[in-house]
């Protein structure tokens, strides 16, 4: 079991691979992001949005293109340098934002790095009354055998639990969820680069990294041959919570 402090430290290391991260990590499907607008007539232009754990800005760019008023919060200064949104160095447990200052908090690809109870309390503090939290999780579609094998070789840790629903407390109640299937095209080098953006790679020594790369290239040459690019199957898990 990874202790909370160690988990948080691992979650701050992605800036070291910021450029590669932006190149090979996929964005978020429109239908998953737009779950935030369920049962609301106002559009993105009317929303003050905190992209929490924003990193290099994969989601921030999508929100800005929709016209949202975005503030990006992340503890990793190297990652934030690539984020195009106005930003603040902070954590999920201590954002530094004012109380009741945002209408929507979106956590994309970062919820598992947080101290859930402390993050929920902080999110509830910065949300305006009736505000919402959208959790987005892109993961390899490990329901498919060859993708499951790929995930295990790169130590991605992607596990699909259909029954999972976030229950963080602090008055945040689940009001909707959605699973969106999609693909992203990568060649063998791109898949190796994808492994390089994973926390296992970032915290490993050079010998382990070399072994992972060799195993990946061997698998994609001999067991699941890839020539050119392949559509790598993903799923986006979206969970919408509302402050009651």
């Amino acid at each position: 079991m990874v202790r909370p402090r160690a988990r948080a430290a691992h979650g701050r290391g992605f800036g070291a691979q910021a450029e590669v991260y932006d190149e090979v990590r996929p964005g978020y499907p429109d239908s998953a992001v737009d779950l935030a607008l369920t049962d609301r007539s106002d559009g993105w232009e009317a929303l003050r949005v905190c992209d929490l754990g924003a990193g290099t800005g994969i989601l921030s760019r999508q929100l800005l293109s929709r016209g949202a008023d975005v503030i990006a919060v992340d503890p990793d200064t190297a990652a934030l340098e690539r984020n195009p949104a106005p930003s603040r160095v902070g954590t999920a447990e201590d954002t530094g934002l004012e109380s009741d200052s945002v209408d929507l908090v979106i956590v994309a690809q970062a919820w598992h790095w947080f101290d859930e109870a402390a993050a929920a309390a902080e999110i509830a503090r910065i949300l305006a009354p009736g505000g919402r939290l959208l959790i987005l999780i892109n993961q390899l579609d490990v329901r498919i055998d060859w993708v499951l094998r790929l995930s295990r070789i790169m130590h991605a840790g992607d596990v699909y639990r259909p029954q999972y629903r976030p229950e963080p407390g602090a008055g945040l109640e689940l009001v909707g969820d959605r699973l969106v299937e999609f693909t992203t095209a990568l060649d063998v080098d791109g898949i190796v680069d994808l492994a390089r953006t994973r926390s296992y790679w970032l915290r490993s020594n050079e010998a382990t990294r070399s072994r992972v790369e060799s195993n990946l290239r061997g698998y994609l040459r001999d067991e699941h041959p890839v020539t050119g690019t392949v559509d790598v199957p993903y799923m986006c898990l979206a969970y919408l919570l509302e402050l009651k």
Side-chain angles (χ1 to χ4, degrees):
M1 180 178 180
V2 180
R3 295 180 181 276
R5 184 174 296 177
R7 183 172 66 243
H10 293 327
R12 299 180 189 191
F14 295 102
Q17 291 285 355
E19 185 173 353
V20 174
Y21 194 103
D22 278 352
E23 289 177 355
V24 299
R25 287 289 186 110
Y28 300 89
D30 289 343
S31 59
V33 177
D34 289 338
L35 180 64
L37 300 183
T38 301
D39 297 328
R40 292 200 169 172
S41 58
D42 50 351
W44 287 99
E45 296 84 355
L47 293 180
R48 299 167 297 168
V49 184
C50 172
D51 184 0
L52 184 56
T56 61
I58 290 176
L59 176 65
S60 296
R61 293 179 184 89
Q62 294 181 237
L63 298 174
L64 290 170
S65 72
R66 285 167 161 79
D69 179 8
V70 182
I71 178 71
V73 176
D74 198 280
D76 190 333
T77 55
L80 282 179
E81 286 178 0
R82 295 181 62 88
N83 195 307
S87 64
R88 175 186 292 270
V89 176
T91 67
E93 300 80 13
D94 183 11
T95 64
L97 300 179
E98 296 182 2
S99 298
D100 303 339
S101 60
V102 297
D103 306 300
L104 173 66
V105 173
I106 305 185
V107 177
Q109 218 63 16
W111 187 254
H112 59 294
W113 296 117
F114 300 166
D115 178 321
E116 189 169 281
E122 176 68 354
I123 290 167
R125 183 188 70 79
I126 66 175
L127 280 175
R132 289 179 163 185
L133 164 66
L134 179 64
I135 299 172
L136 298 173
I137 305 169
N138 275 349
Q139 65 175 64
L140 294 167
D141 193 344
V142 293
R143 300 171 299 178
I144 300 169
D145 288 344
W146 79 266
V147 182
L148 175 60
R149 175 68 175 142
L150 182 71
S151 172
R152 287 178 172 172
I153 293 171
M154 67 172 62
H155 295 261
D158 291 3
V159 177
Y160 177 49
R161 295 177 291 156
Q163 73 282 3
Y164 170 75
R165 299 293 184 274
E167 297 179 355
L172 292 164
E173 297 183 10
L174 187 72
V175 294
D177 62 271
R178 187 171 291 169
L179 185 155
V180 183
E181 298 172 348
F182 68 103
T183 63
T184 187
L186 293 173
D187 59 13
V188 172
D189 288 340
I191 293 172
V192 173
D193 281 343
L194 182 64
R196 291 189 175 111
T197 70
R198 297 285 182 158
S199 59
Y200 180 82
W201 179 286
L202 293 172
R203 66 176 184 264
S204 294
N205 59 33
E206 288 303 319
T208 299
R209 292 174 177 180
S210 179
R211 183 175 68 250
V212 170
E213 178 171 353
S214 177
N215 290 342
L216 276 174
R217 292 189 183 278
Y219 174 65
L220 297 171
R221 180 186 62 243
D222 303 327
E223 297 181 52
H224 189 82
V226 170
T227 56
T229 62
V230 62
D231 288 331
V232 180
Y234 272 84
M235 61 177 82
C236 182
L237 310 174
Y239 305 98
L240 181 64
L241 299 96
E242 192 165 275
L243 186 61
K244 300 296 186 179

